[in-house]
């Protein structure tokens, strides 16, 4: 069973989150476990307890989310901080503007080659 992980955004003024508690409820209802980094939705007004009530498990760090989940959701593209956390088991879904971040894309591809 694919395990879904939801990351807290690390960019200072980024407050969006890829999955709401209601979205978690739908996934969990369909047998998909969801792991949420602590306070992932706080800037959108979603408390940890709301995610827990929807069936998610709260994990303290992004490292724990990567250790547990295979399908990782985040709004912004992966950053160098997360590159070393990727393994061959991970699928990451995020928004990416390749034209504006070609250097980031090159670094990401190079990090994936080493997996």
């Amino acid at each position: 069973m694919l395990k879904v992980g939801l990351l807290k955004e690390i960019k200072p003024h980024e407050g969006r989150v890829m999955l709401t508690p209601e979205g978690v409820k739908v996934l969990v209802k369909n047998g998909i476990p969801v792991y949420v980094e602590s306070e992932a939705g706080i800037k959108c007004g979603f408390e940890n307890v709301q995610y827990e009530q929807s069936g998610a498990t709260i994990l303290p760090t992004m490292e724990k989310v990567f250790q547990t989940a295979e399908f990782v959701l985040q709004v912004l593209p992966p950053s160098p901080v997360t590159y070393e956390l990727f393994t061959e088991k991970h699928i990451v879904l995020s928004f990416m503007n390749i034209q504006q971040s070609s250097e980031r894309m090159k670094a990401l591809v190079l990090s994936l080659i080493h997996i």
Side-chain angles (χ1 to χ4, degrees):
M1 175 63 58
L2 191 65
K3 298 175 196 162
V4 173
L6 179 64
L7 296 179
K8 178 171 66 175
E9 297 299 324
I10 58 177
K11 189 172 179 181
H13 299 290
E14 180 55 71
R16 297 173 293 173
V17 66
M18 285 286 273
L19 194 58
T20 66
E22 196 61 35
V24 168
K25 192 180 295 184
V26 170
L27 292 174
V28 171
K29 181 179 177 183
N30 286 285
I32 300 169
V34 179
Y35 301 88
V36 176
E37 182 181 357
S38 184
E39 298 190 350
I42 201 77
K43 290 182 181 177
C44 288
F46 302 125
E47 303 281 339
N48 285 346
V49 69
Q50 292 173 277
Y51 283 107
E52 288 175 317
Q53 290 170 346
S54 295
T57 300
I58 305 298
L59 297 176
T61 63
M62 83 169 80
E63 290 84 2
K64 293 287 185 188
V65 173
F66 271 97
Q67 289 170 3
T68 308
E70 294 97 15
F71 188 63
V72 180
L73 305 172
Q74 63 184 109
V75 174
L76 293 178
S79 67
V81 173
T82 58
Y83 295 168
E84 65 188 45
L85 302 174
F86 291 129
T87 69
E88 65 278 350
K89 77 173 185 174
H90 289 112
I91 300 167
V92 178
L93 177 66
S94 71
F95 299 116
M96 181 175 264
N97 184 337
I98 295 172
Q99 291 177 320
Q100 291 181 345
S101 58
S102 61
E103 290 304 313
R104 179 180 286 177
M105 178 58 99
K106 288 176 191 173
L108 176 58
V109 169
L110 289 174
S111 72
L112 295 175
I113 290 172
H114 297 294
I115 291 178

